[in-house]
Amino acid sequence: MQKRKWKTVVLVRKLLTLAIGAIALVALMSVHVHLGLSPSAVTKSLTTQHEIMSQNLQREERWNQDFSPPHLPKSPRFRTLDSASGTSDLDKLWKPPPNRDYEPCVAPSPYYASPPEPRGYLLVHANGGLNQMRAGICDMVAVARIINATLVIPELDKRSFWQDSSNFSDVFDEAHFINSLTNDIRVIKKLPKELVAATRAVKHFRSWSGVEYYEEEIASMWEEYQVIRAAKSDSRLANNNLPLDIQKLRCRACYQALRFAPTIEAMGKLLVERMRAFGPYIALHLRYEKDMLAFSGCTHDLSQEEAEELTAIRENTTWWKVKEIDPIEQRAKGYCPLTPKEVGMFLSLLGFSSNTPIYIAAGEIYGGDSRMADLRSRFPLLMNKETLATFEELEPFTNHASQMAALDYIVSVESDIFIPSYSGNMARAVEGHRRFLGHRKTILPDSKALVRLFDKIELGTMKEGKNMASRVIEIHKRRQGSPRKRKGPISGTKGTDRFRSEEAFYVNPLPDCLCQKESRYTNSSRIRR
């Protein structure tokens, strides 16, 4: 009985095979007739199609080799599902904070007049790195308005740690800057020839000064001088208690007028597009560079030789006033940049998967590849300018620290999530810009709390698991860039310390330059765009 069934199955299989073959033959013949092709032509066509497919496959393989991550290990997933909402924690991680309908409102009030005839010329030496100079330049725009001066295009710092020879027009769109501020101040490229040799007042403007200081002390200098030179531009204007129109002018200068040069903008956009090819990405400002470590006096996880090298740099840099720094105390207070290893732990504890695309916005990492090994083992898809662009594409910007930093700035502002390892000038500038653009997600590590946890892992008193992940997530729930008013000075501080303790204007332009949509209708006293 079983043999008979088996013979029947075999016979049916043979009949089906013959039927399929016959159908295929008829289909092939119909193609020959329809196209009028000979069998040899059909064979040639099929061969050509095979070659094209093979070439496409090779191109795809090359793309995968160049741009796809290596085999990705599974990172620890401490929490995967929120049973109440049914949404994954990974989705929550990428979700931007609610912006509460805040949007830019930087147009001047009806009482804001066109600039009167200027009384003199303001020369500016912008000092520091890119973002320190950017903030200073925008402040000097406001100062020029207050003292009724013609602003000469600022001179960029060429003596700082980076020794960058770039001029204003190499980094910024000079024509756009001049034209954008037409209704605010007069801006010219160079001082008139007849005034080049004229006696000028060189002045260190007082830090964090208000309108009264500039109107009374600085503007009075026009009686003796036609040219005033600001020796420095950083932190020369108060963060708070300025007229609203001056605050809005600072925002127009920073977020509208001070645009990067067209070549930088184009290259930055290209880097963003190439990062987007990998999907949503994190821009990680990994401030683990030689100059920052030397300045901050942080030596955790460094060798004795490395620590001595950094100390020597600090001692030999004349404008860095603090020479003696206790690195252990500095780290315990949260004043040190997180190490690449610590950043890797932080991202894993937050719940990011190992295939997360990460753009490293930084210069040369101190210690090189060996210092990055732990972070790369957790997150292999680490990219930067040099891996996303060719040597030829980057060559015009290479050896110009400000221009290279500008590329990082663009990719960071446009990222899905921005995470700085240290609250420096770059981190603060990007955070403020992202707030202005709709409160894009910015996760700010609580370094003081994190190093305590990391030290416990190192001592073996805690493990990197669910309990620690829960603590890290809880600590950072309110550190993700959601709308809030700019923080004032710390209670009890006085003098310079009081101003230093304030949140900087360009870190958070709310409430001066951001308004809620409903305020247009509910509060007629608020000036809208």
Side-chain angles (χ1 to χ4, degrees):
M1 189 68 179
Q2 285 182 335
K3 288 183 178 181
R4 189 179 300 169
K5 286 182 179 180
W6 175 250
K7 288 180 180 180
T8 303
V9 170
V10 172
L11 180 61
V12 170
R13 284 182 177 176
K14 287 182 178 179
L15 289 172
L16 286 172
T17 303
L18 290 171
I20 292 169
I23 292 168
L25 183 61
V26 170
L28 185 61
M29 292 301 294
S30 67
V31 171
H32 292 176
V33 173
H34 180 68
L35 298 177
L37 299 174
S38 64
S40 61
V42 172
T43 303
K44 184 177 180 181
S45 175
L46 291 172
T47 303
T48 303
Q49 290 179 19
H50 180 268
E51 291 174 352
I52 292 172
M53 291 175 65
S54 177
Q55 291 172 2
N56 288 340
L57 183 61
Q58 289 175 2
R59 279 197 294 269
E60 185 176 344
E61 287 175 349
R62 281 199 300 272
W63 169 266
N64 289 337
Q65 289 172 1
D66 291 340
F67 295 100
S68 290
H71 177 69
L72 300 175
K74 292 182 179 178
S75 64
R77 296 295 301 276
F78 302 121
R79 302 202 303 175
T80 56
L81 191 69
D82 183 344
S83 58
S85 63
T87 58
S88 69
D89 283 350
L90 204 56
D91 291 337
K92 284 184 177 181
L93 270 175
W94 291 97
K95 185 179 179 181
N99 66 10
R100 290 163 44 196
D101 290 329
Y102 276 103
E103 61 182 13
C105 53
V106 296
S109 74
Y111 308 103
Y112 189 79
S114 298
E117 188 66 26
R119 298 182 64 186
Y121 297 86
L122 176 62
L123 299 178
V124 174
H125 173 73
N127 60 298
L130 172 70
N131 294 288
Q132 189 173 338
M133 289 193 293
R134 286 181 75 251
I137 290 167
C138 297
D139 278 357
M140 289 300 111
V141 169
V143 169
R145 172 79 188 194
I146 295 169
I147 65 174
N148 194 17
T150 291
L151 177 66
V152 180
I153 286 292
E155 174 191 349
L156 301 190
D157 194 340
K158 297 178 174 61
R159 297 176 298 172
S160 66
F161 180 88
W162 300 274
Q163 299 291 302
D164 189 348
S165 61
S166 298
N167 294 314
F168 187 95
S169 59
D170 297 321
V171 181
F172 303 108
D173 189 332
E174 189 173 78
H176 178 77
F177 182 73
I178 294 172
N179 295 332
S180 295
L181 296 170
T182 302
N183 296 324
D184 301 296
I185 59 170
R186 181 174 176 234
V187 185
I188 60 174
K189 293 184 179 181
K190 293 181 179 179
L191 197 66
K193 290 183 179 179
E194 63 271 20
L195 292 176
V196 170
T199 303
R200 62 190 65 173
V202 179
K203 184 76 173 177
H204 282 77
F205 295 162
R206 194 175 67 198
S207 299
W208 297 295
S209 296
V211 169
E212 295 79 10
Y213 166 79
Y214 286 103
E215 287 180 338
E216 297 171 8
E217 185 168 333
I218 303 302
S220 64
M221 299 174 72
W222 294 133
E223 297 173 7
E224 297 183 44
Y225 302 96
Q226 288 180 278
V227 180
I228 298 174
R229 176 180 174 84
K232 286 187 175 183
S233 64
D234 65 322
S235 305
R236 304 299 124 176
L237 199 58
N239 294 305
N240 304 303
N241 302 317
L242 295 176
L244 185 58
D245 271 327
I246 292 298
Q247 298 289 58
K248 289 182 182 294
L249 173 56
R250 296 169 86 178
C251 286
R252 291 199 298 276
C254 189
Y255 304 124
Q256 295 178 355
L258 197 60
R259 194 166 66 186
F260 291 120
T263 53
I264 294 175
E265 289 281 348
M267 189 68 229
K269 182 180 179 181
L270 186 61
L271 293 175
V272 171
E273 289 174 354
R274 290 176 180 174
M275 276 305 300
R276 291 243 178 269
F278 296 92
Y281 71 93
I282 293 173
L284 174 61
H285 182 46
L286 193 59
R287 195 67 168 96
Y288 203 77
E289 298 146 319
K290 184 182 288 187
D291 66 297
M292 175 48 63
L293 294 173
F295 174 77
S296 61
C298 298
T299 59
H300 178 72
D301 229 11
L302 298 182
S303 67
Q304 183 64 32
E305 292 76 16
E306 289 172 326
E308 290 173 357
E309 179 187 18
L310 297 177
T311 301
I313 292 173
R314 186 169 66 255
E315 290 175 349
N316 294 326
T317 306
T318 54
W319 55 89
W320 289 352
K321 295 180 181 179
V322 181
K323 303 299 182 182
E324 296 294 328
I325 299 176
D326 183 339
I328 297 175
E329 181 182 346
Q330 191 84 335
R331 183 169 177 270
K333 290 181 177 179
Y335 296 160
C336 290
L338 296 176
T339 68
K341 180 180 179 180
E342 290 170 340
V343 170
M345 284 192 285
F346 175 58
L347 295 177
S348 293
L349 289 164
L350 284 177
F352 286 104
S353 59
S354 59
N355 61 352
T356 301
I358 298 176
Y359 178 86
I360 303 295
E364 184 178 353
I365 301 301
Y366 192 57
D369 291 340
S370 61
R371 194 80 68 206
M372 294 290 289
D374 192 88
L375 175 59
R376 191 176 296 279
S377 70
R378 291 172 181 265
F379 298 95
L381 195 49
L382 297 181
M383 311 297 285
N384 57 21
K385 298 180 291 293
E386 290 75 15
T387 55
L388 289 174
T390 65
F391 174 82
E392 291 75 19
E393 288 172 327
L394 280 181
E395 190 173 15
F397 315 103
T398 305
N399 299 323
H400 296 286
S402 293
Q403 297 180 46
M404 294 289 269
L407 296 176
D408 283 342
Y409 184 94
I410 293 171
V411 183
S412 296
V413 168
E414 295 300 323
S415 64
D416 297 275
I417 299 176
F418 174 65
I419 302 177
S421 66
Y422 179 79
S423 183
N425 291 319
M426 165 81 164
R428 293 195 290 266
V430 172
E431 179 188 352
H433 204 152
R434 289 171 68 84
R435 286 181 178 279
F436 184 80
L437 294 174
H439 292 90
R440 297 174 178 177
K441 191 161 196 173
T442 301
I443 302 177
L444 302 173
D446 185 338
S447 298
K448 186 175 181 179
L450 287 173
V451 296
R452 291 175 184 171
L453 296 175
F454 295 152
D455 286 346
K456 288 180 180 179
I457 292 177
E458 202 168 308
L459 293 170
T461 58
M462 279 191 78
K463 292 184 178 179
E464 188 182 343
K466 289 183 179 180
N467 290 337
M468 182 172 283
S470 297
R471 291 182 65 174
V472 169
I473 291 168
E474 185 63 31
I475 290 169
H476 293 87
K477 272 186 177 179
R478 298 183 182 276
R479 301 177 65 89
Q480 303 192 20
S482 57
R484 59 170 177 77
K485 289 186 178 182
R486 189 167 58 255
K487 297 176 183 177
I490 294 175
S491 178
T493 54
K494 296 180 180 180
T496 302
D497 289 338
R498 181 175 176 81
F499 291 114
R500 286 184 184 279
S501 70
E502 292 179 334
E503 187 172 27
F505 177 80
Y506 298 105
V507 175
N508 184 6
L510 193 157
D512 315 87
C513 303
L514 293 167
C515 309
Q516 287 179 300
K517 291 179 183 178
E518 62 267 24
S519 67
R520 179 187 302 184
Y521 310 104
T522 59
N523 188 352
S524 59
S525 66
R526 292 294 294 274
I527 303 301
R528 297 276 310 138
R529 297 178 70 180

